[in-house]
Amino acid sequence: MMPHGYPARENPPVAQTKLTKSVLKGHKDSVLCLSSDTATSKAGAPRLASGGADGSCRIWDLRCATGRRCVRAAFLDSEIASVAISPAREHLMLVATGSDIIGFDLRSDKVILKEADKHVAGLARDEINHIAISGSGLLAAVAEDSGAVHLLDLNSWRLDKTLGGKTGHDNICSSVAWRPGNGWGLASGGLDAAVVVWQRSGRGRISRLTADAGEDSATSTGGPQLLNPPFVHSLTYFPDGRRLAAGLGDGTVSLLDAETGAQQQRLRGGHAAAVAQVVHSGTGLVSAGNDLQLVLWADNEPAVRWAHHEKMNWLAWCENTLFVAGLGNDVVAYEGLDR
């Protein structure tokens, strides 16, 4: 699994807003990952999937804020590293555990999903960190500890291609993201402090990120010469698909061109420790840091900051709500960012 975490500095003050907080209870151990329906299903029920260190994966019905409930659950023998709901095939949920990918059919009328519909054993050479399904629903991108990115064909359930080599990562690949829209677009980030924009041919365009030494960054933990590396912990595309945001280990967020991967801007002043997660909400970009702070960005500046009670593992946005998975057993929901 990927390491996140550097000593925190004090955060500068940022405007606050009143948020409504609620929790989704069901897991028996830390919640490690989340995935949301980007489009409402035909049944009219927006859904959230969560995976935990307890080996369970749960599907939540989000139709009613006061009555969000778990409507499906699957139990595996090991912790869930990543989970993904297909944006095109609403019945399909993928789960990553160890080096395996498991597919569940959500059309089942059973609450407990005892048997997987598909099981691709040993797809990765090492532990899987993140899976993401393309907008077409035809491919799943799989990021793993070896640095490789695997493309899984979701029609044949066979390996389509492995992306790597000289134009790929030379350390842990931590995150993958598909570009919104109908065309091809895939990016990955890793603990080699690199973002790779991949072509369908398998060739990658690498952007090497350097440690940020600005006054508002979290690069210094014990003196001006001790710099936290800009490891890439999380990626998210902007809704228009033109830019890509990367949450970095030096406490900054890098904005990159979606075509070339070239850095356009560095967002500073939001966090005093590594940025573990970034997600684009309906209100703007949101980042989660190991300083236990959540930040909503506006005009490339931290507009709203609020404290979370524990270290955060994953963020998801659905139905005007920010969902947070962390070291605790509950998924925390924040509403009110759009006010």
Side-chain angles (χ1 to χ4, degrees), residues 72-233:
R72 296 284 190 281
F75 297 91
L76 304 176
D77 294 331
S78 57
E79 67 179 31
I80 309 300
S82 185
V83 62
I85 301 175
S86 173
R89 306 178 183 187
E90 62 183 38
H91 63 277
L92 175 62
M93 177 179 68
L94 295 185
V95 175
T97 178
S99 61
D100 297 356
I101 297 291
I102 299 171
F104 288 97
D105 190 334
L106 300 180
R107 290 174 294 189
S108 171
D109 58 358
K110 297 180 179 179
V111 174
I112 305 298
L113 304 176
K114 294 184 178 181
E115 295 184 3
D117 184 57
K118 300 289 183 180
H119 188 168
V120 184
L123 175 76
R125 296 191 294 270
D126 213 324
E127 285 195 12
I128 295 171
N129 295 311
H130 190 198
I131 51 175
I133 303 176
S134 65
S136 67
L138 299 177
L139 291 171
V142 181
E144 61 144 298
D145 274 0
S146 75
V149 176
H150 306 287
L151 299 181
L152 176 65
D153 186 317
L154 295 179
N155 283 327
S156 66
W157 290 90
R158 295 180 180 275
L159 178 67
D160 175 87
K161 187 174 293 184
T162 294
L163 309 176
K166 293 182 179 179
T167 60
H169 297 285
D170 55 23
N171 204 325
I172 291 171
C173 183
S174 55
S175 183
V176 284
W178 291 97
R179 189 176 181 179
N182 297 324
W184 169 266
L186 176 66
S188 61
L191 301 196
D192 51 0
V195 172
V196 181
V197 176
W198 296 98
Q199 300 175 12
R200 186 62 178 98
S201 64
R203 185 174 178 82
R205 188 189 296 265
I206 303 176
S207 293
R208 300 284 181 186
L209 300 169
T210 58
D212 188 69
E215 292 182 359
D216 293 330
S217 68
T219 57
S220 179
T221 61
Q225 302 304 315
L226 297 180
L227 301 181
N228 290 330
F231 295 153
V232 180
H233 294 304

